[in-house]
Amino acid sequence: MTLSALDSALLGPLFATDAMRAVFADEARVAAMLRAEAALARAQSQAGLVPASLAPAIEGIAPKALDPAALGRRTAVSGVPVIPFVKAVQGALPPELEPAFHKATTTQDIADTALVLQVRDALDLVAADLRAILDGLSAIARQHRETPCVGRTYGQHAAPVTFGFKAAIWALGIAEVAALLPALRERVLTASLGGPVGTLAGLGEKAEAVGDGFAAALGLHPDLAPWHTRRARIAETGAFLALLTGALAKFATDVAHLATTEVAEVAEPYVPGRGGSSAMPHKRNPVSSTVILSAFGAAKGASLTLLDGMAAAHERPAGAWHAEWHALPTLFGLASGALREARSLAQGLVPDPERMRRNLDVTQGLLFADAAASRLGPVLGAKAAHALVEEAAGAVRDGRGSLQEVLRARPETAGADLDAAFDLSPAIRAGARTADRALAEVSRLAAFLHAA
């Protein structure tokens, strides 16, 4: 039985990437716990607390030698996987080293540090996808910075913009969330070492040196005090992933609408067999947008679970910590699928400038109502100009001609420069300028993605 769509052989490939599933696989967790224990042994040996041979002995244990299924059966009894893991490793070590293993630490130290190692790998995958997405959207925005299209508010035609402007807004929304990543990494990529209640009493005066050495051996930040119950960094990671899927969902929401039959201004990249219907052979459903939107729908609840974990009782809570094990990998899995699909869209979206141009004419000039009112303002006064254009718009909707024709027929408009009101050029220039400014900010915010 599969209880999660992300882990399902049937549904998993749709919603999460193989690379992200590998990061959070049982084998990867066991390997991360072994790395944490080896780093601890190395730091402790440098402090003269355990034999120097302990760390190499731990590193010599292959993760696949510790059967996750067997550990899982024992976890159901112990309540945490680290306890059977420790016993299994002790059984694999030379007898003389066994007493020194896992010295002065506790279950949560190893579990949280192993999780952080997995999170580091997962965030690397996220960053790679973000770089590709922002590069792709920026290229679309530059290519179409002067391609006119309909701007929509409340689902209605509002005023002309450019498609490059729309793409730049998508990119900027995603870049604003991406820019949170460096600070997040600084906080979350921190080793956990506090011992049973967080004081590292078992290490005495050597606690700080061991803690620093432990973190350094893993390439993590040390912490001045244990974060066993300071869970803001985990909640922040979840919030970042929820915000990220939300930024991608804005992109997907627009694409799904623009790809509808009636609008048809863009198409998702064509892949044979993708987006079809079991009943309707002609269908080309927006699968990428669907996956992104479903990820956002599920991510919000999972991030709340991590926020709840901040109310951790005393030095270790009952249940709140365990709940994180459900939520955080799920969030990374959902984000991975959303990022994969957004990357596909950013690199392969098919705009239709000709259809965009035709859609500009659908409302018979109503897109220029604001510009017309502005041109009539100096002649009639702002209030009267607005009322006249509103009345003329009603006539257009009644089928009595285009807005330009209806306004020209009104004697009040004599002397006004109506031709300029219906000229697309100002809207194109404004859209292009805004796109350029937005792309400059995207480049600034996302510069760290290209710095490696």
Side-chain angles (χ1 to χ4, degrees):
M1 177 183 293
T2 298
L3 298 179
S4 167
L6 299 180
D7 296 326
S8 167
L10 186 63
L11 299 175
L14 176 63
F15 293 115
T17 64
D18 290 341
M20 191 64 79
R21 280 203 296 271
V23 166
F24 288 97
D26 291 334
E27 295 79 4
R29 177 169 295 192
V30 170
M33 289 193 291
L34 280 170
R35 287 183 62 194
E37 292 282 11
L40 177 61
R42 196 169 301 282
Q44 290 176 335
S45 71
Q46 291 168 352
L49 298 173
V50 302
S53 58
L54 178 57
I58 297 170
E59 291 167 344
I61 299 173
K64 62 182 179 182
L66 304 177
D67 179 17
L71 295 178
R73 289 190 292 271
R74 298 186 186 103
T75 298
V77 177
S78 66
V80 288
V82 179
I83 294 174
F85 162 81
V86 167
K87 292 180 179 178
V89 174
Q90 285 173 328
L93 289 171
E96 68 273 14
L97 295 178
E98 182 270 334
F101 177 69
H102 198 68
K103 181 180 178 66
T105 188
T106 192
T107 289
Q108 190 168 4
D109 291 331
I110 301 305
D112 278 348
T113 300
L115 175 64
V116 166
L117 294 175
Q118 292 175 285
V119 166
R120 180 169 62 188
D121 292 342
L123 291 178
D124 287 344
L125 295 176
V126 169
D129 280 335
L130 281 170
R131 182 168 56 248
I133 290 165
L134 293 175
D135 286 350
L137 285 177
S138 296
I140 292 173
R142 285 191 292 269
Q143 180 181 355
H144 292 282
R145 61 188 295 278
E146 295 186 345
T147 300
C149 69
V150 173
R152 297 171 172 87
T153 60
Y154 289 85
Q156 306 290 309
H157 286 209
V161 294
T162 69
F163 189 67
F165 161 79
K166 293 182 74 70
I169 294 300
W170 296 334
L172 184 55
I174 296 167
E176 286 171 338
V177 179
L180 303 174
L181 189 51
L184 174 66
R185 291 178 68 98
E186 186 73 20
R187 281 186 286 275
V188 76
L189 300 186
T190 301
S192 174
L193 188 64
V197 292
T199 61
L200 279 178
L203 295 177
E205 298 299 319
K206 296 184 178 181
E208 184 176 348
V210 171
D212 290 347
F214 175 57
L218 294 168
L220 300 174
H221 302 298
D223 210 348
L224 296 176
W227 53 276
H228 293 167
T229 53
R230 294 160 46 220
R231 309 309 287 182
R233 69 195 66 200
I234 299 298
E236 183 182 359
T237 304
F240 167 77
L241 294 169
L243 287 170
L244 176 57
T245 56
L248 299 177
K250 187 309 189 251
F251 175 27
T253 295
D254 285 355
V255 169
H257 177 255
L258 294 175
T260 57
T261 304
E262 292 79 6
V263 179
E265 292 183 6
V266 304
E268 291 198 353
Y270 175 68
V271 178
R274 186 173 176 87
S277 165
S278 62
M280 295 169 284
H282 67 284
K283 291 297 292 294
R284 188 170 164 184
N285 293 321
V287 173
S288 289
S289 299
T290 298
V291 172
I292 295 169
L293 292 169
S294 72
F296 182 51
K300 292 171 286 186
S303 67
L304 287 176
T305 298
L306 300 180
L307 285 170
D308 286 342
M310 294 181 68
H314 302 298
E315 282 64 58
R316 189 163 298 112
W321 179 46
H322 293 64
E324 292 178 0
W325 307 348
H326 295 282
L328 192 59
T330 294
L331 281 162
F332 272 109
L334 292 168
S336 74
L339 286 162
R340 176 194 62 204
E341 299 303 330
R343 183 172 182 164
S344 173
L345 290 177
Q347 294 177 332
L349 192 69
V350 183
D352 187 342
E354 180 55 35
R355 182 59 180 249
M356 293 176 194
R357 187 64 184 81
R358 292 203 301 272
N359 284 345
L360 286 166
D361 298 328
V362 164
T363 56
Q364 293 286 293
L366 292 182
L367 282 173
F368 299 94
D370 181 59
S374 296
R375 290 286 175 176
L376 291 170
V379 177
L380 305 177
K383 185 176 180 180
H386 186 279
L388 176 61
V389 173
E390 186 175 17
E391 181 184 338
V396 173
R397 285 190 286 268
D398 290 340
R400 285 182 270 164
S402 70
L403 180 63
Q404 190 170 12
E405 291 168 344
V406 172
L407 287 174
R408 282 190 182 283
R410 298 293 295 259
E412 302 98 307
T413 66
D417 185 5
L418 283 178
D419 287 341
F422 292 88
D423 181 6
L424 267 174
S425 299
I428 292 173
R429 289 194 297 270
R433 283 196 307 270
T434 307
D436 291 344
R437 290 196 301 271
L439 289 179
E441 183 67 357
V442 169
S443 295
R444 186 188 71 82
L445 292 173
F448 73 95
L449 292 171
H450 296 274

